[in-house]
Amino acid sequence: MPNVNPVRVCHSLLKFAYPEGVWTGLCENCLESTDKTRVKVEKEELAGTPGKCKLCGSKTDLYPVELRIPNFSKGVVTENTMLCKKCLDAAGESYVKFKREQAHGHRHH
């Protein structure tokens, strides 16, 4: 079972109950993949596609992120998931924090 890293997501349906956002977890590989997409978006190497974000539910421009999803029969399935810029930024913040903690040897189990 992989460790998951917390990412704060502002879910559109829960914004009144949780104005600061809710926490969701991404494994290290998915967090790294999300950060790579975020960097491409910031460098304007990737154009957005209108749709609904898989993490927060916002209807806005989305960007493809390759996620590795555990599957009992196949082991791991790779899937492109569409995420918005806000979720990419939130995952990017979590990725930087994860890398910083990893460099200092602080890993929570």
Side-chain angles (χ1 to χ4, degrees), residues 92-108:
E93 289 175 21
S94 294
Y95 182 70
V96 168
K97 183 178 178 185
F98 166 74
K99 283 304 202 184
R100 192 179 313 127
E101 288 175 354
Q102 196 177 43
H104 291 82
H106 299 192
R107 185 73 182 140
H108 300 281

Side-chain angles (χ1 to χ4, degrees), residues 55-94:
L55 280 184
C56 72
S58 295
K59 291 181 181 176
T60 185
D61 283 344
L62 305 176
Y63 306 91
V65 176
E66 188 177 283
L67 298 182
R68 297 170 46 104
I69 301 167
N71 182 303
F72 288 111
S73 62
K74 299 176 185 174
V76 173
V77 176
T78 302
E79 177 181 297
N80 273 336
T81 299
M82 302 300 282
L83 302 182
C84 71
K85 180 77 168 86
K86 282 185 178 182
C87 287
L88 291 176
D89 289 344
E93 289 175 21
S94 294

Side-chain angles (χ1 to χ4, degrees), residues 4-91:
V4 293
N5 300 285
V7 176
R8 187 187 305 256
V9 176
C10 293
H11 198 288
S12 59
L13 295 177
L14 303 173
K15 67 182 172 186
F16 295 110
Y18 301 100
E20 298 293 317
V22 295
W23 293 98
T24 190
L26 292 177
C27 71
E28 180 180 348
N29 290 334
C30 293
L31 199 60
E32 185 174 355
S33 180
T34 303
D35 193 58
K36 285 179 184 177
T37 300
R38 180 190 62 80
V39 169
K40 287 180 182 177
V41 171
E42 285 183 359
K43 291 182 177 179
E44 297 181 5
E45 296 174 3
L46 201 56
T49 304
K52 188 174 179 181
C53 180
K54 284 286 194 179
L55 280 184
C56 72
S58 295
K59 291 181 181 176
T60 185
D61 283 344
L62 305 176
Y63 306 91
V65 176
E66 188 177 283
L67 298 182
R68 297 170 46 104
I69 301 167
N71 182 303
F72 288 111
S73 62
K74 299 176 185 174
V76 173
V77 176
T78 302
E79 177 181 297
N80 273 336
T81 299
M82 302 300 282
L83 302 182
C84 71
K85 180 77 168 86
K86 282 185 178 182
C87 287
L88 291 176
D89 289 344

